[in-house]
Amino acid sequence: MDQFLAARPLERGAWLVVGFGAGIAAWLLLPGPSQWFATLALCGAVAAGALLLDAEGDLSHLRAAILGLVVMFAAGLGLVWTKSALVGEPPLPRPVVARLEGRVLSREDQGAKDAIRLVLVARLLPRAGAGQGAGPGGGTGVGAGAGTGLSNADAGSPARARPGERAGERQGGLPQAPLQVRINLPVERDAPGIAEGALVRLDARLMPPAPPMLPGSYDFARAAWFQGLAATGRALGPVTIVRPAPAGGSLGALRRALSRHVRAQLGGSPGTIAAAFASGDRGAIAQADEDAMRDAGLTHLLSISGLHVSAVIAGVYALAIGLLALFPPIALRLRLPIVAATAGALAGIGYTLLTGAQVPTVRSCVGALLVLAAMVLGRDPVSLRLVAVAAFAVLLFWPEAVWGPSFQMSFASVVAIIAFHNAAPARRFLAPRDEGWIARLARHLALLLATGVVIELVLMPIAVFHFHRAGLYGALVNVVAIPLTTFGTMPLIALALLLDLAGWGAPAWYLCGKSLDLLLWLAHVSAAQPGAVRMLPGMDRATFGLFVGGLLWLALWTGRVRLGGLAPVALGTVLVFAAKAPDVLVSGDGHQVGIVEAPGGGLLLLREGRSDFARDALLEAAGIKDRAMPVEQAPGAQCNADFCRLALVRDVEGRPRRFVVLMSRGRDLTPWQPLIEACAAADIVIADRRLPAACRPRMLKADRALLARTGGLAIALPSGRIRTVAETQGHHGWYRWPASEGAGPPRTSRPRPPPTPNPLRPPP
């Protein structure tokens, strides 16, 4: 082992960054402080053991590797733990209608949704006479218990103090200190003075940041915790501008003005895409175009990331060095690469700030600046060591990015490109040889297509883990779309904006529009092809870990030893295709239920929501694409205003078995005796309200009392396995465990999570 490490001195550094990221990921995966302390103690013990190894003998390289990995792992865990404690904002204890008065931090126009998104730092003042009750599992809004036949005690949940809160910090369950909240304002209530820095007053319906709706769904509560958001909501009335924004404008105002100018010069869908490229404003892009770009594997073009930042920096670098070379006095006295790199760096930083300085954009800018620095110093600008330094710089400031798809996809694609082009077969394929330009061009195009295929294969596990979908044609489409965007659309946008200063930009805008028409045509045609998107059931964390470990092993080592990474990747692939979709999906409030009609069939929905969010989340979790219908339309379903009853037949140990599912969907008082009899005849009962103790189904009663402890459920009937949202949350600050049944006054410490019903079994 020591000889193996000694022979690879340049390859070991990247693994230190992997250890740093692994420590960050371990903090998320481990349940709470006791496990974090135990892990740090174990790291100390391993480091102490490594120090006992012979520092100058045959194990010196192994000793250094163990020490480095352990120290970086512990540093990653400690860093994200510290940031969570410093930055995390406790969420509101329950939904509330309140009056807000505070300062606007940011404003985002969402033209496609007819809304304005504001982020405020504001104080919350309760409105007199406003109902504020909500169920502990997320609730259903004001007066959650009204009309259900439930007691008033079931309708709400008392505010519970969080760890470390002092008496008097909350009055009536409301925080007294200013909070950061995100508000959606209908566009018809917009006013010119609502901008960054303005002091505003408004009434709003606020909700705590939502935990995952289902196991494996997007965890907005976790993202909000690290963004410092305590609540999100919607304005209920007009906004009063107490003090307008300071004179002189802001970058946000400049960004919106630039977006409006681009859309005025270029109408329709091309204009909205061009505005996204120029200013980072994606709010006006039509949902149909968003969906087509996503299904075609082109979503990365819509968010300002490495492609856009690199194009801006490279364009300014080439333009600066070309123009300065025309003036001999300057070219002879200055090192043009340094001057051009400085100009490119300033352009990249300015573009990052102009487009909103989102974390993916900042991450891309940092990486591009490191490439420029390597060029100036005469180092290899495209190497895995440089990528590792960029990743470390990002994780140092945004450690939470390690478990986000943006960080994973961007760095995975860059690492895949570098590792593939550094591989011996690729170098031999591109080696200079005596041939014509047509053959040379054909070889480069073939390698470009092969690179696209490699990137798609590398990104596929990440897409399946986060989005439950895998694209099939992305490699082919990106071969055209990326050069079109980099060398066509973006230079034309820059040229058009420059010519607009003199009023001559119309021809450039025309050509830009045609290039974007071609891009959108590619997206829609590709997305419409049969099998363009393959939906898959959710991948568990262990399987995803196999993919990550195997792909890192393939990318970071050289020689035949790297082929060892194929084993975990192959095992992960087998596990993905062997995974079964859950049969029953239940949201954390019990309001949304999805039932897989049959293996390979469509999805039955208990309720049609007012938006597509719940429907899309259920379809993704089930691994189904656009095949959903109301449960009452299913063969054999029996529904009335209060309940739906459905029998499902599943193969259990080679024999068909019938499972009866009873679902509550009404809000009226239910007669006692029929309810008890229906429960006894069902295997599973699901309700968004508390059911009486006498309701005893054969297998599982998923009512509000249980769902408050477990969160959303994914139930596999043949195996009897239940996955819950709660089992993935641990004792992190963004997840609120409910108080024990029958608890009296608010607790001052979060109780241990109660056991979840897993696997299915009849009640005692």
Side-chain angles (χ1 to χ4, degrees):
M1 185 63 176
D2 199 73
Q3 294 178 352
F4 172 81
L5 295 173
R8 292 167 171 80
L10 299 180
E11 301 168 36
R12 303 197 309 246
W15 286 102
L16 296 178
V17 181
V18 172
F20 188 71
I24 297 171
W27 178 84
L28 175 70
L29 297 175
L30 295 173
S34 59
Q35 289 80 9
W36 304 336
F37 278 120
T39 303
L40 291 176
L42 179 61
C43 288
V46 173
L51 289 173
L52 298 178
L53 296 176
D54 185 5
E56 298 180 358
D58 296 335
L59 299 178
S60 60
H61 294 285
L62 178 61
R63 176 179 184 265
I66 294 175
L67 282 174
L69 286 174
V70 167
V71 169
M72 293 297 284
F73 184 94
L77 192 153
L79 175 68
V80 69
W81 189 358
T82 302
K83 182 172 182 179
S84 174
L86 295 176
V87 175
E89 180 64 44
L92 287 184
R94 64 180 189 277
V96 62
V97 176
R99 178 157 294 167
L100 311 178
E101 181 172 306
R103 181 168 56 90
V104 178
L105 292 182
S106 68
R107 169 192 167 121
E108 179 184 352
D109 294 351
Q110 297 185 311
K113 300 178 181 178
D114 294 326
I116 310 296
R117 176 169 288 178
L118 303 175
V119 176
L120 312 174
V121 172
R123 292 183 179 274
L124 275 60
L125 304 174
R127 297 195 319 168
Q132 299 172 2
T140 56
V142 178
T148 63
L150 309 176
S151 68
N152 290 334
D154 293 336
S157 168
R160 290 178 293 275
R162 300 184 59 81
E165 279 186 348
R166 297 179 297 274
E169 286 187 346
R170 293 181 183 268
Q171 180 180 353
L174 292 179
Q176 300 303 297
L179 297 178
Q180 187 169 307
V181 298
R182 195 181 74 187
I183 302 295
N184 286 334
L185 176 70
V187 71
E188 61 269 14
R189 293 175 182 157
D190 188 20
I194 304 176
E196 290 84 351
L199 186 66
V200 298
R201 184 184 302 122
L202 70 154
D203 294 332
R205 167 74 171 172
L206 298 177
M207 299 284 291
M213 177 180 169
L214 299 162
S217 296
Y218 175 64
D219 194 344
F220 175 66
R222 184 178 67 201
W225 175 265
F226 283 99
Q227 293 171 14
L229 289 176
T232 63
R234 184 175 180 84
L236 298 179
V239 179
T240 301
I241 302 175
V242 179
R243 186 176 64 243
S250 63
L251 280 175
L254 178 61
R255 186 183 313 121
R256 290 189 292 273
L258 178 59
S259 177
R260 288 193 298 268
H261 173 78
V262 172
R263 294 199 303 272
Q265 301 299 317
L266 196 60
S269 293
T272 62
I273 305 294
F277 288 171
S279 66
D281 177 15
R282 296 177 55 176
I285 299 176
Q287 189 62 47
D289 293 332
E290 286 260 17
D291 293 342
M293 296 286 282
R294 178 197 62 196
D295 293 343
L298 300 177
T299 299
H300 63 96
L301 297 179
L302 298 180
S303 59
I304 305 300
S305 57
L307 175 69
H308 310 80
V309 175
S310 300
V312 169
I313 292 178
V316 172
Y317 181 92
L319 185 63
I321 204 169
L323 290 176
L324 292 175
L326 298 176
F327 301 93
I330 297 178
L332 293 174
R333 289 173 172 80
L334 299 177
R335 291 187 60 187
L336 296 189
I338 295 179
V339 177
T342 303
L346 293 175
I349 294 172
Y351 183 62
T352 298
L353 295 174
L354 179 63
T355 54
Q358 301 296 319
V359 173
T361 315
V362 175
R363 182 174 61 240
S364 303
C365 185
V366 170
L369 294 180
L370 288 173
V371 170
L372 288 176
M375 293 174 61
V376 169
L377 296 175
R379 300 296 184 90
D380 182 7
V382 183
S383 68
L384 289 177
R385 283 174 294 165
L386 190 64
V387 175
V389 172
F392 179 73
V394 170
L395 294 179
L396 201 58
F397 293 98
W398 299 282
E400 70 277 8
V402 76
W403 50 72
S406 176
F407 174 88
Q408 294 169 7
M409 286 186 161
S410 59
F411 277 99
S413 59
V414 174
V415 169
I417 292 171
I418 295 174
F420 178 66
H421 282 258
N422 286 341
R427 291 201 303 269
R428 288 195 298 268
F429 188 76
L430 278 182
R433 62 196 71 184
D434 187 14
E435 61 184 1
W437 68 270
I438 295 179
R440 189 181 308 112
L441 178 62
R443 281 195 297 111
H444 280 82
L445 289 176
L447 191 66
L448 181 63
L449 179 60
T451 303
V453 172
V454 169
I455 293 174
E456 287 296 317
L457 292 176
V458 169
L459 297 186
M460 196 172 293
I462 303 175
V464 172
F465 180 72
H466 290 284
F467 310 117
H468 303 207
R469 62 177 62 227
L472 302 181
Y473 305 135
L476 293 173
V477 178
N478 275 287
V479 167
V480 178
I482 291 177
L484 175 66
T485 302
T486 305
F487 303 110
T489 303
M490 293 198 64
L492 284 170
I493 292 175
L495 178 62
L497 290 173
L498 182 63
L499 293 176
D500 277 345
L501 297 176
W504 300 338
W509 284 122
Y510 174 80
L511 295 176
C512 178
K514 293 302 179 183
S515 70
L516 287 169
D517 283 333
L518 176 58
L519 179 66
L520 287 168
W521 177 81
L522 283 171
H524 284 278
V525 169
S526 175
Q529 299 306 307
V533 176
R534 171 74 184 272
M535 299 297 296
L536 294 168
M539 183 192 305
D540 60 36
R541 291 173 170 178
T543 304
F544 185 59
L546 288 174
F547 278 109
V548 172
L551 292 173
L552 285 172
W553 191 272
L554 277 168
L556 300 186
W557 293 124
T558 57
R560 292 189 176 182
V561 68
R562 72 193 314 175
L563 298 179
L566 293 175
V569 171
L571 177 58
T573 303
V574 172
L575 293 175
V576 166
F577 285 102
K580 303 292 185 182
D583 298 284
V584 181
L585 296 162
V586 186
S587 65
D589 58 3
H591 197 68
Q592 304 292 342
V593 180
I595 297 178
V596 177
E597 197 172 7
L603 189 70
L604 305 175
L605 300 177
L606 179 63
R607 292 178 173 91
E608 288 285 351
R610 288 175 293 180
S611 68
D612 293 333
F613 173 78
R615 175 181 178 274
D616 292 344
L618 291 167
L619 285 168
E620 281 188 3
I624 298 173
K625 187 177 188 297
D626 297 333
R627 284 182 294 157
M629 65 178 182
V631 68
E632 56 262 28
Q633 296 181 11
Q638 301 174 353
C639 295
N640 56 26
D642 298 313
F643 285 89
C644 273
R645 183 178 183 272
L646 181 67
L648 303 173
V649 178
R650 296 291 186 267
D651 188 62
V652 180
E653 298 180 353
R655 297 180 181 179
R657 180 177 173 184
R658 188 169 176 266
F659 296 89
V660 178
V661 182
L662 181 67
M663 296 163 283
S664 167
R665 65 173 186 174
R667 307 299 298 163
D668 296 331
L669 188 67
T670 303
W672 177 271
Q673 191 60 36
L675 173 62
I676 303 308
E677 293 175 356
C679 288
D683 294 286
I684 298 175
V685 177
I686 303 168
D688 60 352
R689 48 180 166 166
R690 190 186 302 272
L691 295 175
C695 174
R696 297 170 63 85
R698 290 187 289 266
M699 300 175 69
L700 175 68
K701 181 173 70 175
D703 65 346
R704 195 177 71 182
L706 176 71
L707 293 172
R709 307 198 321 265
T710 65
L713 305 177
I715 306 171
L717 293 175
S719 65
R721 181 172 184 262
I722 294 181
R723 295 172 56 214
T724 71
V725 167
E727 69 189 20
T728 66
Q729 297 300 304
H731 292 278
H732 298 89
W734 55 83
Y735 191 75
R736 182 178 293 274
W737 290 98
S740 303
E741 291 291 327
R747 301 176 62 97
T748 57
S749 62
R750 187 183 293 111
R752 295 183 62 82
T756 57
N758 191 7
L760 290 170
R761 58 176 179 266

